[in-house]
Amino acid sequence: MATYTLPELPYDYAALEPVINPQIIELHHDKHHAAYVKGANDTLEQLAEARDKEQWGSLNGLEKNLAFHLSGHILHSIYWHNMTGDGGGEPLAADGVGDLADAITESFGSFAGFKAQLTKAAATTQGSGWGVLAYEPVSGRLIVEQIYDHQGNVGQGSTPILVFDAWEHAFYLQYKNQKVDFIEAMWAVVNWQDVAKRYAAAKERAYNLLLVP
């Protein structure tokens, strides 16, 4: 049985219109995300075969493939739930996400400052990658990460709680080469309830991730 499986979307293909059209959602989830799931499972099988035969010549490439496909699977699994057709705006205490709102202000000075930094990080990622809001357990603060591909340039131990996909397959059919326009539009579908739950869960687990007891 496969170790990793493609999760179902939490909404139908048209749920995020007009920010993301149904064709992109279908292609992105059913083809691209599915390919990362298959890639991770295939690589695990290849690593098992290498162990059984004690043939380590391909180890470096296999480990890189596993990191790439597994990170792609994880980030996309978060991405789908980070969005909702009823989202957008700013996280507010009145909406039950006050802890997240306070953490953003404490870590970035203001919501506007945070929004500007994450927008710029996602929009200026060279080649393919992501802009990510993550909980960093050593400092106990939120940070923005600019991830290359799916796994490069990441602080070890940080937990992604809001991810903006800046790969071309996430927007090109609708936004062409205007990545900045896509990232700006993404703010209208952010699911702050989901982000707040991920923030709370990351804080709860942080004690198990600290470098010292």
Side-chain angles (χ1 to χ4, degrees):
M1 181 173 293
T3 301
Y4 302 108
T5 58
L6 180 67
E8 294 185 4
L9 287 171
Y11 35 70
D12 62 44
Y13 295 138
L16 302 178
E17 285 194 294
V19 174
I20 308 178
N21 68 38
Q23 184 183 13
I24 288 178
I25 296 295
E26 181 177 7
L27 180 65
H28 196 167
H29 175 267
D30 297 1
K31 300 298 182 182
H32 290 280
H33 189 171
Y36 300 130
V37 172
K38 183 179 185 304
N41 287 320
D42 288 350
T43 306
L44 286 179
E45 292 180 3
Q46 293 163 11
L47 283 165
E49 182 179 355
R51 289 194 302 273
D52 291 342
K53 297 180 178 180
E54 295 189 358
Q55 296 178 348
W56 304 113
S58 61
L59 180 63
N60 288 347
L62 290 175
E63 294 289 4
K64 183 177 180 180
N65 285 345
L66 181 60
F68 177 83
H69 290 295
L70 178 55
S71 295
H73 171 43
I74 290 171
L75 288 171
H76 280 93
S77 296
I78 297 170
Y79 180 66
W80 305 125
H81 288 274
N82 272 173
M83 299 183 291
T84 174
D86 299 321
E90 180 177 346
L92 301 171
D95 298 324
V97 292
D99 286 347
L100 173 65
D102 290 344
I104 288 174
T105 300
E106 182 177 351
S107 297
F108 300 98
S110 67
F111 176 77
F114 152 67
K115 182 178 178 180
Q117 184 176 344
L118 181 54
T119 297
K120 184 63 70 172
T124 61
T125 301
Q126 292 180 340
S128 300
W130 301 71
V132 173
L133 173 66
Y135 178 77
E136 198 286 290
V138 178
S139 65
R141 62 179 292 140
L142 296 172
I143 61 173
V144 164
E145 295 181 322
Q146 190 179 50
I147 298 177
Y148 297 105
D149 290 334
H150 299 307
Q151 76 282 12
N153 214 30
V154 178
Q156 298 300 314
S158 61
T159 301
I161 63 173
L162 173 62
V163 300
F164 280 10
D165 192 341
W167 282 65
E168 284 192 348
H169 63 238
F171 64 88
Y172 199 85
L173 288 177
Q174 184 174 355
Y175 292 86
K176 307 305 180 190
N177 63 337
Q178 300 303 312
K179 183 191 295 187
V180 174
D181 291 348
F182 170 66
I183 300 303
E184 290 285 359
M186 275 288 299
W187 289 100
V189 294
V190 173
N191 184 348
W192 292 116
Q193 298 294 327
D194 180 71
V195 178
K197 290 177 182 177
R198 294 180 187 280
Y199 172 61
K203 285 200 305 179
E204 183 70 23
R205 295 194 300 266
Y207 297 107
N208 297 325
L209 297 174
L210 292 177
L211 302 180
V212 295

